Amino acid sequence: MNMDAVRKIADAVLYEGYLLYPYRASALKNRKRWNFGVLVPDSYHRIYPESDPSTMRTECLLEGTPETRIELKGRFLRVVRRRVGQLLEPLGSQRSGPAFHFVHSLQVGTDFHQSFDETVEREMDIAPHTFNELFFDAQTYAFPFSRTCGWQPLRGSGGQVAGLLAREQEAITALLDLAVTQLAEGLFRLHVTLRNGTSVRQPWEKSREEILPFSMIATHLILSVEGGAFLSLTDPPDYARAEARGCRNLGVWPVLAGAEGDRSLMLAAPIILYDYPQVAPESPGDFFDGTEIDEMLTLRVQTLTDQEKQEVRLTDAPAESILTRSDGLPAEHLWKLHGALKSLHTTEHTG
């Protein structure tokens, strides 16, 4: 799969809404996060059907033959719960492990640490299958991601341990179904269903915030075809309009991706995009904002106070990256964000 052709826009989808201005962990909008592409565990959704879905489904049309090959990549963010622990008594005085309790924030010497939900990227790869294989034997795949937990000591200026920083990821199991049906000579429909099959103890006791570590965030699919071609569902050819209307998409919308005119890649995203979406070449980097205006956000970040900037640095690595990039952006690059003339043409007026 040629990920280079679609990675930039796919990464923009992956981190859409991840962190919003003013990019501080204390901001309310950054304490109530993740509204795109969230798949909660099945067991939770059955109890709270009004919550986020547990399943996404995409169907799209392709031209091809029984020997056409389809390849698929699923991507999502996995929550890493970062928590700050304060020691209840000096380290070494306990007979077992260190005694501590979790706090929202902790000052250790000159360093300020705070609890926050970070993320890591996860991918699921499906090796190429011919349509012929999928006609007679729909494929089901399970992708288990194990629980992880680790911690690091927080030391004061004298080297003494005053607290700890714990990072924890809950186990997640993703289930993916893949099938193909033939609609007419040379015309096929691809069916992909992705479900969060994670087992959760006592899911009825969990709030949305508590279920997020067991959830798949910003989930999307990248499809690739060899020996065939995808058809646009946004603007399908006349001969396939009825079949396009028959495609059922739940939680995602598939669009053609990559270079304009290329029909070998499709991106099924949890946000509405047009065919061949592109990140503006003038953009110096991601701001994770759904109504992103790079110039305005750059200027706003530059006007943060020193105290606010310090909190941004301590939020997480992506937030610090935004701050570093915005503060160091050369004036000539900032001017490029002020506006760009995308096309200019003349028309003849008669009459």
Side-chain angles (χ1 to χ4, degrees):
M1 179 182 293
N2 180 17
M3 272 296 294
D4 292 341
V6 72
R7 181 172 294 280
K8 198 167 185 179
I9 189 66
D11 285 348
V13 170
L14 188 65
Y15 285 96
E16 180 66 27
Y18 168 76
L19 195 65
L20 302 178
Y21 177 84
Y23 305 113
R24 303 194 309 268
S26 61
L28 178 60
K29 66 174 77 174
N30 290 323
R31 298 202 301 267
K32 304 292 183 182
R33 301 162 71 196
W34 293 308
N35 297 309
F36 299 104
V38 177
L39 297 184
V40 299
D42 250 349
S43 57
Y44 184 81
H45 183 72
R46 285 195 296 269
I47 298 169
Y48 301 107
E50 74 284 356
S51 69
D52 298 278
S54 61
T55 300
M56 67 167 44
R57 180 177 67 242
T58 190
E59 294 183 350
C60 54
L61 302 178
L62 301 97
E63 296 172 333
T65 71
E67 297 307 314
T68 296
R69 296 167 68 84
I70 190 75
E71 187 179 357
L72 186 149
K73 181 186 292 287
R75 305 174 79 220
F76 67 95
L77 292 178
R78 185 180 181 188
V79 172
V80 180
R81 188 136 285 178
R82 184 186 78 200
R83 294 191 287 177
V84 177
Q86 183 175 18
L87 291 184
L88 299 178
E89 51 188 347
L91 193 65
S93 62
Q94 305 91 347
R95 294 184 178 179
S96 56
F100 65 91
H101 69 282
F102 287 119
V103 294
H104 175 68
S105 59
L106 180 66
Q107 185 86 27
V108 179
T110 58
D111 294 329
F112 180 78
H113 303 274
Q114 55 188 334
S115 299
F116 191 66
D117 282 351
E118 303 171 335
T119 60
V120 291
E121 300 175 15
R122 290 291 178 257
E123 295 188 349
M124 303 162 287
D125 290 305
I126 303 295
H129 286 282
T130 66
F131 285 177
N132 217 21
E133 294 170 329
L134 297 172
F135 288 153
F136 305 105
D137 188 17
Q139 300 293 310
T140 298
Y141 299 88
F143 295 91
F145 298 90
S146 302
R147 183 180 184 275
T148 66
C149 184
W151 64 278
Q152 66 184 81
L154 301 177
R155 300 182 183 274
S157 56
Q160 75 282 6
V161 176
L164 59 86
L165 202 60
R167 285 183 170 88
E168 185 177 16
Q169 301 177 58
E170 297 294 348
I172 292 177
T173 299
L175 303 173
L176 189 144
D177 297 326
L178 181 64
V180 166
T181 55
Q182 185 164 7
L183 304 176
E185 183 69 28
L187 183 62
F188 302 84
R189 178 177 287 136
L190 178 69
H191 313 260
V192 184
T193 302
L194 182 58
R195 178 167 60 90
N196 186 341
T198 304
S199 176
V200 181
R201 291 184 59 189
Q202 299 176 322
W204 55 87
E205 294 185 351
K206 298 191 183 300
S207 65
R208 183 180 189 270
E209 182 180 357
E210 291 169 332
I211 206 65
L212 281 173
F214 301 89
S215 303
M216 302 160 66
I217 312 294
T219 315
H220 60 281
L221 301 167
I222 301 171
L223 313 173
S224 174
V225 66
E226 181 182 342
F230 289 106
L231 297 181
S232 170
L233 291 190
T234 304
D235 186 21
D238 290 341
Y239 79 88
R241 288 191 180 276
E243 290 79 2
R245 286 194 297 269
C247 289
R248 297 292 176 260
N249 286 278
L250 175 67
V252 288
W253 180 250
V255 296
L256 296 170
E260 187 85 26
D262 179 17
R263 293 197 286 141
S264 66
L265 289 170
M266 185 157 273
L267 171 64
I271 56 178
I272 297 175
L273 297 171
Y274 47 85
D275 283 334
Y276 304 112
Q278 300 289 330
V279 174
E282 297 85 4
S283 176
D286 206 337
F287 284 95
F288 312 133
D289 197 315
T291 55
E292 189 169 308
I293 304 174
D294 285 23
E295 181 186 27
M296 180 188 72
L297 289 174
T298 299
L299 293 172
R300 291 300 300 156
V301 170
Q302 290 178 349
T303 59
L304 293 174
T305 66
D306 290 343
Q307 182 178 350
E308 289 172 328
K309 289 182 178 181
Q310 179 61 11
E311 187 179 345
V312 171
R313 289 188 187 94
L314 293 169
T315 294
D316 68 356
E320 184 178 17
S321 175
I322 289 175
L323 179 62
T324 301
R325 185 179 69 239
S326 298
D327 273 352
L329 193 68
E332 60 270 22
H333 288 184
L334 189 59
W335 274 110
K336 290 180 181 179
L337 303 180
H338 191 60
L341 189 62
K342 295 297 185 182
S343 63
L344 183 65
H345 64 275
T346 59
T347 59
E348 292 185 6
H349 177 71
T350 59

